[in-house]
Amino acid sequence: MATSADADALKDQIAPTGKLRVAIAISPAGGAFWSTKTENGYAGVPVDLGREMAAQLGIPVEYVVHQNSGQITDAASRNTWDITFLPRDPERETKMTFGPIYEVADATYIVKPGSTITNFATLDQDGVKVAAVNATTTMRGAIAHLRHAKVTGYQTYDEIFNLLKSGEIDAFALSRDQLNAMAKKIPGTRVLDETFKQTVTAVAVPLNHPLAAAFATRFMTEAIANGTLRKAYDNNGLKGAPVRTEAK
């Protein structure tokens, strides 16, 4: 059993303000990473997981809102958040400590209405304009994948959605499930069949917080095993989506 001193040391490290500050990114995209703004606050898988984690610690939860995962990463050293749930890659591993993976997503591209692009070969041509959410693991993956098409980062999902709809960009790189949902909202778009990257999403804490990292790892391991993660998926529009915790 953990002692009272152990519990106090953990709370001092994981919640120095007395609240568990959970960093989230807001977008209508949904999925296992993005959260959405609601009339009563926020909704999303990270929102539910953060609330449950705070309840286990016996402290209030506070959501710290960002526009994308790159902004969350940039804030990791500024002591503005305590815990987050975001895509992991080698660059981010130098800025925060990750726990267990709770989602694996296949990244691809959606092309604008009426586009003649049908696969990666016809996409990766000089003059083709590809958008991605700025400073994200998906953007870095698209830049590495494409040799000729130009990848440009934008701060918000909404901005890219409107550029794709108006035909000002040729394609958008994101996870397949989110692009499939987008395709239903923009008639004439097409999600390409191929996958250029698997993105893994995991719990994370700022560097040099070993007690917080150990707690986050234990929390996520239990959440995956006891159905807490499944419930968070089901509550946030992912009822039919499998929980994937290991990349192939």
Side-chain angles (χ1 to χ4, degrees):
M1 288 288 289
T3 66
S4 176
D6 291 338
D8 289 344
L10 170 61
K11 287 181 184 178
D12 286 346
Q13 189 174 105
I14 200 169
T17 64
K19 296 179 180 179
L20 184 68
R21 298 171 299 171
V22 181
I24 58 174
I26 297 297
S27 157
F33 160 66
W34 293 100
S35 298
T36 57
K37 192 162 186 356
T38 68
E39 291 181 2
N40 303 314
Y42 304 100
V45 173
V47 171
D48 287 7
L49 293 175
R51 186 187 305 116
E52 179 65 24
M53 188 180 286
Q56 284 194 19
L57 291 164
I59 56 177
V61 65
E62 177 184 327
Y63 298 105
V64 183
V65 175
H66 302 77
Q67 292 182 309
N68 58 55
S69 59
Q71 289 185 355
I72 294 174
T73 303
D74 290 343
S77 63
R78 296 203 292 266
N79 191 33
T80 56
W81 57 263
D82 305 310
I83 195 90
T84 192
F85 306 85
L86 83 173
R88 186 186 84 191
D89 68 11
E91 182 169 322
R92 288 181 179 167
E93 288 171 350
T94 67
K95 298 179 180 179
M96 59 189 87
T97 303
F98 285 89
I101 295 166
Y102 72 90
E103 188 220 19
V104 180
D106 299 324
T108 187
Y109 307 92
I110 188 171
V111 297
K112 68 182 181 182
S115 175
T116 58
I117 294 168
T118 57
N119 54 31
F120 287 176
T122 51
L123 173 75
D124 194 14
Q125 301 293 326
D126 292 336
V128 172
K129 293 184 282 188
V130 178
V133 180
N134 195 51
T136 59
T137 183
T138 304
M139 178 174 170
R140 286 189 282 273
I143 290 170
H145 173 239
L146 298 172
R147 296 285 180 263
H148 302 282
K150 179 177 171 55
V151 179
T152 301
Y154 297 86
Q155 285 297 329
T156 69
Y157 170 101
D158 285 347
E159 184 180 8
I160 301 173
F161 180 98
N162 291 327
L163 290 171
L164 186 76
K165 189 174 183 179
S166 65
E168 293 176 68
I169 56 171
D170 297 297
F172 179 14
L174 200 65
S175 68
R176 184 177 302 281
D177 56 344
Q178 292 162 343
L179 294 180
N180 284 337
M182 182 185 288
K184 295 175 183 176
K185 298 177 183 177
I186 310 178
T189 53
R190 178 193 301 114
V191 179
L192 301 185
D193 291 335
E194 299 149 289
T195 295
F196 71 85
K197 175 182 175 58
Q198 280 198 325
T199 300
V200 297
T201 304
V203 65
V205 300
L207 289 177
N208 303 316
H209 288 62
L211 299 177
F215 177 82
T217 293
R218 185 168 69 251
F219 171 86
M220 281 308 304
T221 300
E222 292 173 355
I224 291 165
N226 66 20
T228 298
L229 179 59
R230 178 73 264 171
K231 184 178 177 183
Y233 269 47
D234 293 349
N235 287 345
N236 292 284
L238 297 171
K239 204 159 235 179
V243 172
R244 300 169 66 190
T245 58
E246 292 184 17
K248 292 178 182 176

